[in-house]
């Protein structure tokens, strides 16, 4: 049998999972598991690049692990980044294969450092934020990933990863690293229900995101009060309405979607019906995920041990790579 291609993707542990995260990333990850050899990382080293609290970070890491499993990620495919410290080691080596100027052109660094300027802590911007894409390159290359599912915002970072791999290969005179390719999948961009001109996100505040694991009543209330008449989207439909249709489709409520689209086209659409259908779609997913999550909560210790074990298993692959890289780069290896 032909060996399956390797997919690698990572997510930062930052509090609640919302439907933007689910429809825009996690649902795709779940589906990719059918066709690829997938490794998914909860990247806590990355979460340190912006101001954070140590205690909260560990809590968020486990919270995200439980949420990922509840939404359909296989535990064997999961690792926690700080349980594979070779990522940090490879990142240092890669720092020495990365052009300083190239890093300075990363738009995400510019955006995030601008965000920090306005916050407390004297506008502190860490060097970690600057070198974040180098750690990301290490995350990808340490597993020799063939494909990385990326959104448009991450394309530039993947390009840098390929650059680092090429420079390394060139320096050692061997095609050691596979150059990873982006894996583009059509995923919806989910907008805030309270303000459909902006993306659904945690950073904008509680009313701007719908928590995948919220109480049913809260989800229904948030959808009922969704803003419908803000922003111009395609074909004259307001962004608020377009966003509700997008959510309906993403929830796989195809029959309701098509019949409500017909109502919209004939001018007979009642917003209250559209909202009801969206709420039903989200609540159906929410029920499924909450019940999976309750089962996991009843076996917390076992689940944690399982993910520690899968991290240790995945770490073996990282150790193999770092050993070879150190040999190739003229460094010494610790012999255990
Ligand atoms: P974040 O927590 O913002 O780092 O996002 C984690 C993942 O969810 C990334 O792959 C994002 O592209 C995706 N994501 C976050 N917010 C949205 C959104 N509103 N619509 C679609 N995808 C999103």
């Amino acid at each position: 049998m032909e060996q399956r291609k390797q997919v690698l993707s990572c997510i930062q542990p930052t509090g609640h999972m919302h439907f933007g995260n689910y429809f825009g990333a996690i649902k795709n990850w779940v589906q990719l598991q059918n066709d690829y050899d997938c490794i998914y990382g909860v990247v806590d080293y990355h979460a340190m690049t912006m101001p954070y609290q140590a205690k909260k970070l560990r809590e968020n890491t486990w919270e995200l692990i439980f949420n990922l499993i509840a939404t359909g990620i296989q535990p064997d495919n999961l690792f926690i980044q700080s349980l594979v410290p070779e990522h940090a080691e490879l990142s240092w080596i890669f720092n020495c294969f990365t052009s300083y100027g190239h890093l300075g052109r990363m738009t995400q660094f510019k955006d995030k450092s601008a965000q920090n300027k306005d916050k407390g802590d004297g506008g502190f911007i860490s060097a970690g934020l600057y070198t974040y894409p180098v750690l990301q390159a290490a995350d990808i290359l340490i597993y020799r990933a063939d494909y990385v599912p990326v959104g448009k915002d991450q394309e530039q970072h993947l390009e840098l990863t390929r650059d680092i791999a090429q420079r390394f290969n060139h320096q050692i005179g061997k095609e050691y690293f596979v150059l990873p390719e982006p894996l583009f999948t059509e995923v919806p961009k989910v907008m805030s229900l309270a303000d459909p001109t902006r993306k659904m996100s945690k950073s904008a505040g509680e009313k701007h995101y719908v928590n995948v694991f919220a109480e049913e009543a809260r989800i229904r209330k948030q959808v009922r009060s969704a803003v419908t008449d803000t922003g111009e989207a395609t074909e004259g439909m307001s962004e608020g309405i377009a966003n509700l249709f997008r959510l309906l489709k993403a929830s796989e409520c195809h029959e309701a979607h098509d019949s409500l689209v017909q109502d919209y086209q004939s001018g007979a659409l009642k917003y209250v019906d559209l909202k009801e259908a969206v709420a039903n779609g989200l609540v159906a997913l929410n029920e499924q995920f909450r019940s999976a999550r309750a089962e996991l909560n009843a076996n917390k210790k076992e689940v944690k041990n399982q993910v520690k074990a899968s991290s240790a298993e995945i770490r073996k692959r990282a150790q193999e790579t770092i050993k070879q890289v150190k040999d190739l780069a003229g460094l010494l290896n610790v012999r255990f």
Side-chain angles (χ1 to χ4, degrees), residues 1-6 34-37 146-147:
M1 202 174 88
E2 202 188 331
Q3 212 188 347
R4 301 210 297 179
K5 294 280 191 191
Q6 181 69 56
N34 298 327
D35 301 316
Y36 298 96
D37 180 6
D146 299 294
Y147 295 116

Side-chain angles (χ1 to χ4, degrees), residues 1-9 29-40 74 76-78 140 143-149 183 313-314 317:
M1 202 174 88
E2 202 188 331
Q3 212 188 347
R4 301 210 297 179
K5 294 280 191 191
Q6 181 69 56
V7 162
L8 183 282
S9 199
W29 284 16
V30 172
Q31 286 164 347
L32 289 172
Q33 295 179 126
N34 298 327
D35 301 316
Y36 298 96
D37 180 6
C38 296
I39 298 180
Y40 297 127
Q74 292 160 24
D76 285 353
N77 291 341
L78 278 174
I140 297 167
Y143 302 112
R144 326 283 186 82
D146 299 294
Y147 295 116
V148 184
L183 189 68
E313 201 50 45
I314 287 170
R317 301 170 61 166

Side-chain angles (χ1 to χ4, degrees), residues 11 14 18 20-21 24-25 153 188-191 199-202:
I11 185 165
T14 50
H18 56 71
N21 299 137
D153 56 335
K189 183 174 174 190
V190 180
M191 310 307 280
K199 238 174 86 164
M200 179 174 285
S201 96
K202 281 163 288 203

